[in-house]
Amino acid sequence: MRSQSSFKVLSLCLLAILASTHAQLQLGFYAKSCPKAEQIILNFVHEHIHNAPSLAAALIRMHFHDCFVRGCDGSVLLNSTTNQAEKNAPPNLTVRGFDFIDRIKSLVEAECPGVVSCADILTLAARDSIVATGGPFWKVPTGRRDGVISNLVEARDSIPAPNHNFTTLQTLFANQGLDLKDLVLLSGAHTIGVSHCSSLSNRLFNFTGKGDQDPSLDSEYAANLKRFKCKNINDNTTKIEMDPGSRNTFDLGYYRQVIKRRGLFESDAALLTNSVTKSQVTQLLEGSLENFYAEFATSMEEMGRIKVKTGTEGEIRKHCALVNS
């Protein structure tokens, strides 16, 4: 009996600890400590995003890459004097929007010094920019703290890449507590934005090292890409729409491309190589845009909670690119 009672007490203690950890991430976390914070971020996004709507795709990508390395802790924003930070890793060399986040941070710091984390600013700005350009809304509970470690190797090994197959994608998502449905839904962010020819040059020109083309890519689409966009394997600068014709519209167009075998990346094509993810793509296309928005929102909320630092963990950076001295 005594051991049973001890077990119950221990279980209750563990539940209390878990509850307190999650309680620190909450909607309106800054309501008392910096009540204008979220409005300052929203106002800045609204003021500038329409001059550069492509930043919406850039910011949600930055948020995604941040969360997949040490959790959503703003570590992707950190600089390194030896070029060994996350932003120096191959997956992050084309990430942009750092200055946008820095400018928001300076405004928030002027209002409430040392209160609002860069991790929360990035998370909110990513959401607000998607909404401001006509995309879905999702809830962003706040209270994240900023990490103090940013490592190139961890970013290289943790962030899903355009050339990853299904097994690798499944593993990398599972490592973050995300499932196959999250993989399909978060891939849906490819409905906006652009990529570079370097991300699919091997698919077009040298898939198995023999000067061949990826057979899983629609041949007519591949021919058009080679003729009008990526004309040789060494093209690292030409940009290509991930969802041709609606790169600034958050819609179901990406999934239409995928099902026609016209997803740009091997990672897009990989969604058709598994019966579960293929079925989910089909179901999304059979459903409404509102349904996609609702499901996408759920996955974004889940991603935004990955391994967050709360309470006394980490710090509140004064400058997003630098740890506090």
Side-chain angles (χ1 to χ4, degrees), residues 4-44:
Q4 193 173 10
S5 299
S6 299
F7 177 76
K8 286 182 178 178
V9 171
L10 179 61
S11 298
L12 288 170
C13 288
L14 287 171
L15 285 171
I17 291 169
L18 287 170
S20 66
T21 302
H22 286 287
Q24 292 172 46
L25 205 65
Q26 61 191 43
L27 291 171
F29 179 85
Y30 301 108
K32 292 183 179 178
S33 58
C34 190
K36 295 181 182 178
E38 293 196 25
Q39 193 61 48
I40 290 171
I41 296 167
L42 182 62
N43 289 347
F44 187 86

Side-chain angles (χ1 to χ4, degrees), residues 197-198 201-202 204-207 211 230-236:
C197 287
S198 54
S201 55
N202 278 351
L204 291 174
F205 298 103
N206 198 29
F207 187 60
C230 309
K231 298 180 180 180
N232 64 75
I233 196 170
N234 299 313
D235 185 343
N236 295 316

